[in-house]
Structures are given as C-alpha cells and as structure tokens.
Amino acid sequence: VHSIFNIAATALLLPFNKVLEKLACLTIRDKDEDNDTPFIDERFLNTPAVATAQCVTMCNKMAVLSEQTITDACSLLAKYRPELEASIIDNEKLIDTYEDVLGTYLVKLSSKSLTTDDSAETSKMLHSIGDFERISDHAVNIQESVKEMHEKKIFFSENAISEIDVLICALIEIVDNTTKAYTKNDIELAKRIEPLEQVIDKLVNELKLRHVKRLRDGKCTIELGFIFSDLLTSIERISDHAINIAGYSKMIEEKNISFSDNANTEIDEIKDICDKTMD
C-alpha cells in the first residue's frame, strides 16, 4: 500500500514538476543565486564529513581564483586594460570573503568530532587560505604598479622588460603548479615547487643587482626604479606563499600536522609569547 501510494502521488505530481521547481526556488532562495559570494550552510556541521567536503570544494575554488588573479595581473604588464584591472580588484575582494567565510567555518568545524583524515584536511585548509589571500593581495600590488606606469606614461627599458618577462614565466609556472598540486592533492607536483621558488629567489637577486647597475649608469630613473623594485618584491613574496602552500600539503601527506586535543592550550601559549614579545 505504501509503495502504491508513493507511485500514484509521483505520477500525479510529475506533470507539474516545472511549477514545483519554481515554487521551491521561491520558497528557499539560494544565497549564491545572484553572485559568487561564498556560503556554506552551518547545518552541514552536524555531519562533519559533508562539511569538510564542502570546505574542500570552496578552497579549491579560492585557489583557482587566486591563480587567475595573478595571471591577469601579470598580463597587464604586456598590455594595460582598465577592464582587466577592475576584474583583478573584484577578484581580490571576493578572495578576501572566501578567507573570512572559510576561516570562520573551519574553526567551528575543528571543534567537531573529525576523523584523522578530515582533521588533517581541515588543518591544511586553515593553513592555506591565508596564503591564497595574500597571493591575491600581491596581484593587486602588481596591478597598482602597472597602473602607476600607465598614468604617468613611463616605461621600462627593453632590458628590464626582458628580465621581467623571464621572471613572470617562472612565477606563472610556480603558481600554476601550486594550484594543481593543492586542488588535486598531487604531492609529487608539490615537491617540485621548492626548486622553482629557489630559482625565482636567484632571479630576483640577480635582477636587483642589474637594476642597481642601470641606476648607476643613468639608464633608469629613480621613479621607475621604485616600481621595478616593488614588482620584484611582489613576485618574490608570491613564490614564498606558493612554497608555504606546497609545504602544508607535504606535511599533511606525511601525517606531521593535524589538530591536537590540546589545540586551545597551544593557542593560548602562543598568544602569551606574542604578548611578551610585544611588551
């Protein structure tokens, strides 16, 4: 009888499926319906495994968006485009929101009863979201440097442009590898990021020396020198955040990092040390 009732009810309602769909959408609005604002329903916290999976999906979106923001910022160096500049700024604000939403949610999730794997994954996300957010901040720094050059109608020399192009290629590669290693949990790829970061550090140091020489020879102005230096600093720091993210992935794989039962005590101890240092 129960089966017959369900089949009959379904058959009766089937012709009205479109109407029922619209009614459901009107009754319960999707908070992501009008924009890309990140949102995770707190009801998932009652099922930690589902909540963890939702956070992983959102962190992966944040990682991809962070990479896109860097790629767009670097492309401005070749050709300044106001619409791309606006997109970079919007993406950076959205990534800030991702960090706020994920950070708050992950802290709540960490207090739940998690499996060993979910605890490790949660820890990895908590460590990584700050680095992804900082990468987007440096993308905005690059965009601002390019905008300053565009507004003042000043340009780098051909030698400086060639040097930056080499550095940008290395930066794009390390960010791309970092994103793929993070989103696909590819530990072997994560292990290749540290050598890339060392290459970028060496390139930055070499370009700084060449920059100083151009200044001494009068081939570069002080104003352009500041912008060039800012670009090198942003690129170097982006690579530092990339290696941080790769490092978290490797530590998780090696089971060297997870939430401990005494997490609150450890946090309090760290706060005490910070307070004493500030004093």
Side-chain angles (χ1 to χ4, degrees):
V1 171
H2 184 268
S3 298
I4 292 172
F5 173 80
N6 286 335
I7 293 170
T10 302
L12 286 172
L13 293 173
L14 194 58
F16 306 101
N17 63 334
K18 296 295 183 182
V19 176
L20 292 172
E21 180 186 353
K22 291 180 180 179
L23 180 61
C25 291
L26 289 172
T27 305
I28 306 174
R29 291 185 177 275
D30 188 347
K31 293 193 177 183
D32 256 339
E33 186 177 51
D34 299 326
N35 51 52
D36 294 327
T37 303
F39 169 77
I40 308 178
D41 198 323
E42 293 204 4
R43 287 174 292 184
F44 288 139
L45 290 171
N46 296 323
T47 312
V50 176
T52 302
Q54 292 292 317
C55 289
V56 168
T57 299
M58 186 175 287
C59 276
N60 288 347
K61 289 181 179 179
M62 182 182 184
V64 172
L65 185 61
S66 180
E67 179 187 7
Q68 183 60 53
T69 307
I70 282 293
T71 303
D72 290 345
C74 291
S75 68
L76 282 178
L77 287 164
K79 182 179 180 182
Y80 177 79
R81 287 172 285 172
E83 67 278 4
L84 193 56
E85 174 192 331
S87 176
I88 293 167
I89 295 172
D90 290 341
N91 285 347
E92 192 275 333
K93 291 178 180 178
L94 181 56
I95 290 170
D96 285 347
T97 305
Y98 268 99
E99 184 191 25
D100 292 340
V101 171
L102 278 166
T104 302
Y105 196 89
L106 286 168
V107 168
K108 293 179 181 178
L109 179 59
S110 66
S111 66
K112 302 295 181 179
S113 179
L114 301 172
T115 65
T116 301
D117 288 342
D118 285 347
S119 177
E121 190 66 45
T122 302
S123 179
K124 170 187 168 184
M125 288 186 283
L126 267 172
H127 281 82
S128 300
I129 56 176
D131 284 292
F132 283 123
E133 190 275 332
R134 290 298 296 148
I135 286 175
S136 69
D137 287 344
H138 290 302
V140 172
N141 291 342
I142 293 173
Q143 169 263 314
E144 289 174 345
S145 295
V146 176
K147 182 179 180 180
E148 181 180 354
M149 292 174 59
H150 176 75
E151 291 177 343
K152 294 181 178 179
K153 299 186 185 305
I154 53 179
F155 307 97
F156 290 130
S157 65
E158 290 186 6
N159 288 337
I161 291 174
S162 298
E163 293 169 356
I164 291 177
D165 285 344
V166 173
L167 193 55
I168 290 298
C169 287
L171 177 67
I172 294 297
E173 183 176 359
I174 194 172
V175 172
D176 180 60
N177 286 348
T178 300
T179 303
K180 288 178 180 176
Y182 183 86
T183 58
K184 297 180 180 179
N185 287 318
D186 190 333
I187 303 303
E188 292 305 314
L189 186 57
K191 291 177 181 178
R192 292 165 51 188
I193 292 170
E194 184 174 0
L196 276 173
E197 190 269 343
Q198 292 174 354
V199 169
I200 289 176
D201 283 348
K202 290 179 180 179
L203 283 172
V204 168
N205 290 333
E206 176 64 24
L207 296 193
K208 284 180 179 178
L209 293 175
R210 295 187 181 188
H211 165 61
V212 170
K213 186 177 186 303
R214 282 194 295 268
L215 282 174
R216 289 175 177 171
D217 294 342
K219 297 179 180 179
C220 180
T221 65
I222 296 295
E223 190 172 28
L224 273 173
F226 282 129
I227 296 174
F228 189 80
S229 179
D230 288 342
L231 284 173
L232 294 183
T233 300
S234 294
I235 291 171
E236 184 176 22
R237 289 178 180 173
I238 290 168
S239 69
D240 290 340
H241 290 296
I243 199 172
N244 286 345
I245 295 167
Y248 302 142
S249 298
K250 288 191 292 183
M251 284 190 290
I252 293 298
E253 179 69 13
E254 296 165 1
K255 307 297 182 183
N256 286 335
I257 183 168
S258 62
F259 280 107
S260 69
D261 294 333
N262 299 318
N264 291 332
T265 302
E266 292 169 1
I267 291 173
D268 289 338
E269 290 176 355
I270 292 171
K271 287 181 178 178
D272 289 340
I273 293 172
C274 290
D275 291 338
K276 290 177 181 178
T277 303
M278 292 299 292
D279 291 340

